[in-house]
Amino acid sequence: MPVWCCRCSLAGHFRNYSDSETEGEIFNSLVQYFGDSLGRKVKAMPLVEETSLLEDSSVTLPMVIIGNGPSGICLSYMLSGYRPYLSAEAIHPNTILHSKLEEARHLSIVDQDLEYLCEGLEGRSSNPVAVLFDTLLHPDADFGYDYPSVLHWKLEQHHYIPHIVLGKGPPGGAWHNMEGSMLTISFGNWMELPGLKFKDWVSSKRRNLKGDRVMPEEIARYYKHYVNVMGLQKNFRENTYITSVSRLYRDQDDNDGQDRDISTKHLQIEKSKFIKRNWEIRGYQRVADGSHVPFCLFAENVALATGTLDSPAHLEIEGEDFPFVFHSMPEFGAAVSRGRLRGKVDPVLIVGSGLTAADAVLCAYNNNIPVIHAFRRRVTDPSLIFKQLPQKLYPEYHKVYHMMCTQLYSADSSLSDYTSFPEHHVLSFKSDMKCILQSVSGLKKIFKLSAAVVLIGSHPNLSFLKEQGCYLGRNSSQPITCKGNPVEIDAYTYECVKEANLFALGPLVGDNFVRFLKGGALGVTRCLVTRQKKKQHLFVERGGGDGIA
């Protein structure tokens, strides 16, 4: 069976380094990571095209990243040797944090004590390293300031950790699939990745910048360009679909040194007999002729950076699978664009109280399509996202929120162009395109619809993991979700609490905004570097030997 191995990543790495560092120096840095056993293998590897599919190899990669959105891109950037340092002229407005940074100015942030730096910081993420990295990149952003980053970046190529980033589409992930008619919720500079200012990039693409918020397709192009300009493309593989990620175990009694995929039942019976080893990642790549080419990779560590937009959440009610019920903004937007709802007298039902539901309301409202808007929460609920958005910066969302509060349903009046149904849920959809809504008091109402759009969140597709990845969550009996049940991680390393050498970052751990997911890359990189140093120390103590597996 044709498979990939890490040869193309290593060979591509040799070719793409700058002239200031020779292939021999790069080779030595890789041998430092793997030990001398890798040295003997790599010396025999021919230089091959980065896009080719390769024969099997016994080389195990230090890291495989699943997902090529901003989380995966940022992690690849830091694993490629880019290091953040405190800028010479920088003064952070948080004087306590600045004094801590001054104590180790000669060290990159990756080499400092993250827990110490995080002490006392507060922000809009529940992950302390995310808050730390955000305040270094965007000091006091939540107070409305636009201070420059206090960091500058250096490429230290000897810190490169071999890795591969696997994604279904081009670098940028789900940003390539988002509805193009809506502005992003975040400012453009909050969407940028380290080392390339979004404003500088976008100003070279369009002449007039009419504000700080931008279209999703611009963000997608920026991420794709970022991978190329930072020299990361050798680490990325597109059109890849993961089918399984499983642990390999080694029988302590075996003398052949082979890792095997042991059944869960066998493990439970003789758990003490097996040593937990590396990861096996299986999947396939779609190639130009449409065929699927399988691959198998082996890794010491796996990072989950898939995001949470793969599977829209469902109401799990009767009739939800009728064709007039949509579950994503692109589906609904496409129906509107094709004119399927033009001139309809019956309203569109929009279910949900988040920003995507608000986008759908705006889409329908701006196309003269009447709207019934049903959601479970009270309009005064303090957790509604609209209450966290400054009105001057997000007028369109506050327009929706104003309608939610003021254009309430009344039994004494007919439906208008927009009618709000707070504290309501959908009981069922019927084949004659009717729906039944029920209020919190139990009162039921029946409406004829032209369409329904259910926008109540989404779940990641972790079908390649055992138990669909549920066992990694804070509540192992429920699916992983960004808000309700994120992956449970160590606060400073982003390693899964329930699975060693498996990391998660981005929306999977509750960081749904790009400005915060960058902290995950810092935490993971810091963890791998620390462990690498421990391996090298043991290697020296043992006098070299055959390296450390």
Side-chain angles (χ1 to χ4, degrees):
M1 177 178 70
V3 293
W4 284 334
C5 73
C6 69
R7 268 183 254 180
C8 60
S9 179
L10 301 182
H13 209 75
F14 292 157
R15 287 204 310 279
N16 286 280
Y17 270 121
S18 63
D19 294 337
S20 62
E21 189 160 9
T22 66
E23 291 180 2
E25 288 173 311
I26 301 304
F27 172 76
N28 289 337
S29 72
L30 297 174
V31 173
Q32 278 184 352
Y33 188 95
F34 286 105
D36 190 55
S37 58
L38 173 74
R40 291 193 297 271
K41 291 171 185 173
V42 173
K43 285 174 184 174
M45 291 181 183
L47 296 181
V48 296
E49 289 303 312
E50 292 168 8
T51 55
S52 63
L53 296 172
L54 303 166
E55 308 257 333
D56 197 1
S57 170
S58 59
V59 173
T60 298
L61 280 165
M63 173 64 82
V64 168
I65 303 167
I66 300 176
N68 64 355
S71 296
I73 295 171
C74 194
L75 180 53
S76 177
Y77 177 77
M78 297 193 74
L79 294 182
S80 295
Y82 287 93
R83 291 292 181 266
Y85 289 84
L86 182 66
S87 296
E89 70 286 355
I91 300 178
H92 197 283
N94 182 323
T95 55
I96 296 174
L97 176 59
H98 186 76
S99 65
K100 291 180 181 180
L101 294 168
E102 285 285 4
E103 292 170 12
R105 175 181 280 277
H106 63 290
L107 294 177
S108 80
I109 305 300
V110 171
D111 297 311
Q112 297 188 37
D113 183 343
L114 298 184
E115 188 169 357
Y116 172 62
L117 294 177
C118 289
E119 287 175 358
L121 297 180
E122 295 181 353
R124 294 187 182 183
S125 170
S126 59
N127 296 310
V129 179
V131 175
L132 168 66
F133 211 27
D134 179 64
T135 195
L136 296 175
L137 293 167
H138 307 289
D140 282 356
D142 287 333
F143 296 106
Y145 297 107
D146 190 21
Y147 294 138
S149 170
V150 299
L151 301 178
H152 73 101
W153 293 83
K154 295 181 182 178
L155 175 56
E156 299 176 348
Q157 295 169 330
H158 59 283
H159 286 314
Y160 174 78
I161 296 177
H163 62 281
I164 283 181
V165 186
L166 304 176
K168 295 177 183 176
W175 286 93
H176 290 279
N177 302 320
M178 291 186 183
E179 180 66 23
S181 62
M182 303 297 170
L183 292 169
T184 61
I185 186 65
S186 297
F187 297 138
N189 63 328
W190 288 0
M191 312 296 288
E192 70 190 19
L193 298 179
L196 180 63
K197 289 186 176 296
F198 180 79
K199 282 184 178 178
D200 293 345
W201 175 82
V202 79
S203 63
S204 68
K205 305 296 176 184
R206 55 185 171 104
R207 292 181 180 177
N208 54 336
L209 302 174
K210 290 186 177 179
D212 292 318
R213 291 170 62 208
V214 293
M215 295 291 186
E217 60 264 30
E218 286 184 305
I219 297 296
R221 289 197 299 271
Y222 165 79
Y223 291 146
K224 189 174 181 181
H225 175 77
Y226 181 92
V227 167
N228 291 326
V229 77
M230 293 300 172
L232 308 180
Q233 66 272 24
K234 56 188 166 288
N235 303 314
F236 281 71
R237 302 293 180 272
E238 300 179 17
N239 303 313
T240 60
Y241 297 79
I242 310 301
T243 54
S244 74
V245 175
S246 58
R247 275 285 196 188
L248 296 177
Y249 293 81
R250 180 174 293 175
D251 190 332
Q252 295 187 77
D253 298 333
D254 271 0
N255 296 318
D256 62 1
Q258 294 295 309
D259 293 342
R260 294 179 175 82
D261 189 0
I262 307 295
S263 71
T264 303
K265 186 176 180 180
H266 196 179
L267 267 178
Q268 290 171 344
I269 296 171
E270 298 184 88
K271 196 167 186 178
S272 62
K273 187 182 176 184
F274 297 102
I275 303 171
K276 191 178 284 189
R277 298 288 292 172
N278 295 318
W279 293 99
E280 179 188 76
I281 303 98
R282 289 186 176 272
Y284 62 87
Q285 183 186 39
R286 284 184 179 169
V287 292
D289 64 1
S291 61
H292 294 177
V293 180
F295 65 82
C296 178
L297 294 170
F298 300 96
E300 294 176 16
N301 303 280
V302 170
L304 302 174
T306 61
T308 59
L309 296 177
D310 290 308
S311 304
H314 284 55
L315 297 168
E316 306 296 343
I317 60 172
E318 176 193 346
E320 196 173 1
D321 56 351
F322 285 130
F324 66 89
V325 181
F326 303 114
H327 289 88
S328 74
M329 187 59 203
E331 276 186 310
F332 177 57
V336 172
S337 298
R338 290 195 294 264
R340 284 177 53 185
L341 303 175
R342 189 177 297 122
K344 296 284 187 180
V345 175
D346 298 321
V348 167
L349 170 66
I350 296 171
V351 183
S353 58
L355 295 177
T356 310
D359 284 340
V361 169
L362 290 168
C363 178
Y365 191 83
N366 293 336
N367 284 278
N368 300 313
I369 301 168
V371 173
I372 293 175
H373 188 190
F375 45 98
R376 289 178 176 269
R377 298 183 185 183
R378 304 186 312 275
V379 292
T380 55
D381 190 324
S383 64
L384 283 173
I385 186 65
F386 308 100
K387 292 183 175 292
Q388 302 173 36
L389 304 178
Q391 187 167 349
K392 287 184 178 179
L393 299 178
Y394 304 97
E396 75 281 21
Y397 288 128
H398 278 274
K399 175 182 177 181
V400 173
Y401 181 54
H402 179 73
M403 292 193 297
M404 290 167 64
C405 295
T406 59
Q407 295 181 221
L408 304 175
Y409 172 76
S410 170
D412 301 328
S413 59
S414 59
L415 297 176
S416 62
D417 52 358
Y418 171 91
T419 308
S420 176
F421 288 81
E423 298 183 89
H424 279 70
H425 66 277
V426 185
L427 279 182
S428 64
F429 295 104
K430 302 300 180 182
S431 58
D432 59 357
M433 299 184 71
K434 290 181 180 177
C435 76
I436 303 175
L437 297 183
Q438 186 174 39
S439 69
V440 70
S441 65
L443 185 64
K444 297 178 183 178
K445 310 172 186 66
I446 300 175
F447 295 99
K448 182 80 163 61
L449 307 174
S450 61
V453 196
V454 178
L455 299 169
I456 56 173
S458 58
H459 304 303
N461 180 6
L462 299 176
S463 60
F464 49 81
L465 292 171
K466 69 178 182 180
E467 300 174 22
Q468 310 283 309
C470 293
Y471 78 104
L472 299 173
R474 293 175 184 170
N475 183 348
S476 59
S477 64
Q478 297 294 321
I480 299 295
T481 60
C482 177
K483 292 182 180 178
N485 190 36
V487 173
E488 189 175 9
I489 56 168
D490 179 278
Y492 299 98
T493 67
Y494 285 73
E495 186 173 31
C496 296
V497 170
K498 297 166 185 171
E499 191 72 85
N501 303 105
L502 182 65
F503 298 83
L505 59 164
L508 289 175
V509 300
D511 286 331
N512 218 16
F513 292 109
V514 173
R515 59 181 284 207
F516 292 118
L517 58 79
K518 291 171 273 194
L522 173 60
V524 175
T525 303
R526 161 75 177 158
C527 179
L528 294 188
V529 167
T530 302
R531 291 178 181 176
Q532 179 181 341
K533 288 177 180 177
K534 289 179 180 177
K535 281 186 177 184
Q536 290 172 356
H537 181 68
L538 286 171
F539 183 75
V540 171
E541 282 188 344
R542 295 178 184 180
D546 282 336
I548 299 163

